[in-house]
Amino acid sequence: MAGNARDPGVSVASRLLALLAVFDEKTPALTLSELADGADLPVATAHRLVRELVGWGALVRGDDGRYVVGRRLWKLGLLAPDQADLREIASPFLHDIYGATLATVHLAIRDGDEVLYLDRLAGHASVPAVSRVGARLPLYATGVGKVLLAYAPREVHDRVLRNLARITPYTVTHPGKLDSELRRVHREGYAQTVEEMTLGACSVAVPVRGEGESVVAALGIVVPSIGRDRARLVAALQVAARGIERSLRR
Amino acid sequence: MAGNARDPGVSVASRLLALLAVFDEKTPALTLSELADGADLPVATAHRLVRELVGWGALVRGDDGRYVVGRRLWKLGLLAPDQADLREIASPFLHDIYGATLATVHLAIRDGDEVLYLDRLAGHASVPAVSRVGARLPLYATGVGKVLLAYAPREVHDRVLRNLARITPYTVTHPGKLDSELRRVHREGYAQTVEEMTLGACSVAVPVRGEGESVVAALGIVVPSIGRDRARLVAALQVAARGIERSLRR
């Protein structure tokens, strides 16, 4: 397409992007040959393109010879408006929830068949959770994920319910049981999990609505146990969600 | 270099990166012709490359026809380990400071001759500040910036002091005065600003040290006035900075 690539039909641009695509949460640091393998390129080609990426600041070569994502891409990524605007608007409300509960607080959106964590507040008193900003987790095993799944398009719902895998002994893997939970999210306005993603961690989450009542995000907290705190936690989340919704409409 | 670019010496890869480089905080949304102009490319070339970037998810075309950074680049940027690790380690400590002060809390590093905000906590009770995660501000007019400038290499120090511009009537623009403030940062362990960046906002900041006592970041807070609170604010910041340093050494 662009330029005269050696393999007809594969442009230099798409080779460059294929190299960047090899990086993910599980493999954030890669050797040149891992990059070449992952992008399906000859090592010489990968080397030439990686050198350009390093020169620009998209990648950085560490002391151990592995390449990692550089500061310039980090800064560029922060310009993504959907993520930046929602995070910026939601941020003070997340702090309000944190202040009221001292629990780990999450802001998440649906990314295909997974939940994507946009923001996360956690103090020293918070329950350890596996989430991290930019990380993705299963929709069916997290509080924010269940909210997003309850409002996902039919095809996402069906695909996810056909692929339920046990993560802890308490993960809901029976499609009928999960489906009735999702219907309850619509009815009662919140989702919960009890040690379904991580042992010792429970969660409660509520939807955040955008224009036309569509669900644009989920707001959730992680606590060691829910018990009789549920009403209080749901109330704190709903107050914050309404605040975010008002700010989004402005 | 790579491919057979039409302009000799300018590779397709570098053209693609030149297009991405046009995006910045001031121009996060761009038309095709603005992109072509900014990257110094013919519109047809820019169009072909932008189409590849959109196909991959690096850019997204909005309803108004302007291109913005897409979710895929946002996720990729979050893999940058320097930023991710420092933020992740510092995050609970930032919450501790926020909890103790309810002030806007900043974690920042030096990026060339500017201060780069890695993280920012602000609640509804916080003073409005112009900072934003990923934003850059002058080193000489912010609390975190003064800390980082005090420990910057000589050439950065000299360059910044030769280019002091008035931002508010209280910005320190006299090189000798600023220099004596920077020497005081070394002596007393903290920096402060009084309405030097934004009217109605003052700041206090302390260094965070990495291996070999080098300063790797600055931790600061923004308050409406400092007055007799200074000792308390500096103490809160220093406790958190020592905590971050201990976690960094692990």
Side-chain angles (χ1 to χ4, degrees):
Chain A
M1 199 174 188
N4 303 357
R6 213 161 44 190
D7 302 356
V10 179
S11 70
V12 173
S14 66
R15 290 169 179 192
L16 195 82
L17 294 170
L19 284 169
L20 292 177
V22 186
F23 291 90
D24 68 19
E25 289 159 56
K26 282 164 200 87
T27 54
L30 294 154
T31 63
L32 181 64
S33 64
E34 287 167 343
L35 276 166
D37 274 4
D40 200 16
L41 292 174
V43 171
T45 307
H47 182 251
R48 207 169 53 221
L49 293 171
V50 163
R51 202 166 52 194
E52 296 225 36
L53 288 165
V54 169
W56 192 77
L59 299 183
V60 174
R61 188 158 185 255
D63 295 336
D64 63 353
R66 286 170 192 272
Y67 293 92
V68 295
V69 174
R71 189 185 291 176
R72 190 155 182 187
L73 268 191
W74 179 78
K75 288 191 285 188
L76 188 63
L78 289 177
L79 298 175
D82 285 0
Q83 282 60 248
D85 293 352
L86 185 54
R87 279 190 67 175
E88 185 79 9
I89 285 170
S91 182
F93 296 98
L94 267 60
H95 293 294
D96 292 345
I97 303 173
Y98 177 75
T101 62
L102 295 182
T104 300
V105 185
H106 287 139
L107 176 71
I109 58 176
R110 186 172 60 79
D111 189 31
D113 292 358
E114 292 178 298
V115 52
L116 172 66
Y117 288 85
L118 282 194
D119 207 354
R120 169 180 181 262
L121 290 198
H124 282 113
S126 309
V127 184
V130 286
S131 59
R132 191 177 160 134
V133 174
R136 279 168 294 169
L137 288 175
L139 283 168
Y140 58 90
T142 58
V144 283
K146 282 187 190 175
V147 166
L148 296 166
L149 185 55
Y151 290 94
R154 192 75 215 172
E155 65 272 20
V156 174
H157 171 277
D158 292 354
R159 203 159 49 222
V160 170
L161 266 68
R162 273 198 305 274
N163 294 289
L164 302 175
R166 190 172 303 279
I167 300 162
T168 75
Y170 307 105
T171 310
V172 178
T173 53
H174 187 282
K177 176 154 188 269
L178 185 64
D179 197 47
S180 77
E181 281 196 26
L182 297 178
R183 271 183 273 120
R184 214 177 53 208
V185 174
H186 280 266
R187 227 164 39 235
E188 303 185 354
Y190 72 90
Q192 69 172 35
T193 61
V194 179
E195 304 193 279
E196 294 158 48
M197 184 72 223
T198 311
L199 292 176
C202 303
S203 66
V204 180
V206 305
V208 178
R209 290 166 196 277
E211 281 175 58
E213 292 298 289
S214 63
V215 170
V216 294
L219 200 60
I221 56 182
V222 180
V223 289
S225 66
I226 299 174
R228 62 179 71 178
D229 270 346
R230 190 198 300 148
R232 184 179 70 90
L233 299 175
V234 170
L237 289 171
Q238 285 179 333
V239 169
R242 293 305 86 75
I244 296 170
E245 289 165 359
R246 259 196 313 280
S247 302
L248 282 174
R249 281 196 297 268
R250 256 177 230 146
Chain B
M1 196 173 188
N4 303 358
R6 213 161 44 190
D7 302 356
V10 180
S11 71
V12 173
S14 66
R15 289 169 180 193
L16 195 81
L17 295 171
L19 283 169
L20 293 177
V22 186
F23 291 90
D24 68 18
E25 291 158 54
K26 283 166 199 87
T27 55
L30 293 155
T31 63
L32 181 63
S33 64
E34 287 167 342
L35 277 166
D37 274 3
D40 201 15
L41 292 174
V43 171
T45 308
H47 182 251
R48 207 169 54 222
L49 292 171
V50 163
R51 203 167 49 194
E52 295 223 35
L53 288 165
V54 169
W56 191 78
L59 300 182
V60 175
R61 187 157 186 258
D63 294 337
D64 62 355
R66 285 169 193 273
Y67 295 91
V68 295
V69 173
R71 189 185 291 178
R72 190 156 182 188
L73 268 190
W74 179 78
K75 288 192 285 189
L76 187 63
L78 289 177
L79 298 175
D82 285 0
Q83 281 61 245
D85 293 354
L86 185 54
R87 279 190 66 174
E88 185 79 7
I89 285 171
S91 182
F93 296 98
L94 265 60
H95 293 296
D96 293 345
I97 304 173
Y98 177 74
T101 63
L102 296 182
T104 300
V105 185
H106 287 138
L107 176 72
I109 58 176
R110 186 173 60 79
D111 188 31
D113 293 358
E114 292 178 297
V115 51
L116 171 66
Y117 288 84
L118 283 193
D119 207 355
R120 171 180 180 261
L121 290 197
H124 281 112
S126 309
V127 185
V130 287
S131 59
R132 192 176 160 134
V133 174
R136 279 168 294 169
L137 288 176
L139 283 167
Y140 58 90
T142 58
V144 283
K146 282 186 190 176
V147 165
L148 296 166
L149 184 56
Y151 291 94
R154 192 75 215 171
E155 66 271 21
V156 174
H157 171 277
D158 292 353
R159 205 160 44 223
V160 170
L161 264 67
R162 273 198 306 273
N163 293 289
L164 302 175
R166 190 172 303 279
I167 301 162
T168 74
Y170 306 105
T171 310
V172 179
T173 53
H174 187 282
K177 177 155 188 267
L178 185 64
D179 197 46
S180 78
E181 282 197 26
L182 298 177
R183 273 183 271 121
R184 215 177 52 208
V185 173
H186 281 265
R187 230 166 33 238
E188 303 186 353
Y190 72 90
Q192 69 171 36
T193 61
V194 179
E195 304 195 278
E196 294 158 46
M197 184 73 222
T198 311
L199 291 176
C202 302
S203 66
V204 179
V206 304
V208 178
R209 290 166 196 278
E211 282 175 59
E213 292 298 287
S214 64
V215 170
V216 294
L219 199 60
I221 55 180
V222 181
V223 289
S225 66
I226 300 174
R228 61 179 72 177
D229 270 347
R230 189 197 301 148
R232 182 177 71 89
L233 299 175
V234 170
L237 289 171
Q238 285 179 334
V239 169
R242 294 304 87 75
I244 295 171
E245 288 165 0
R246 261 196 312 279
S247 302
L248 282 174
R249 281 196 298 269
R250 256 177 228 146

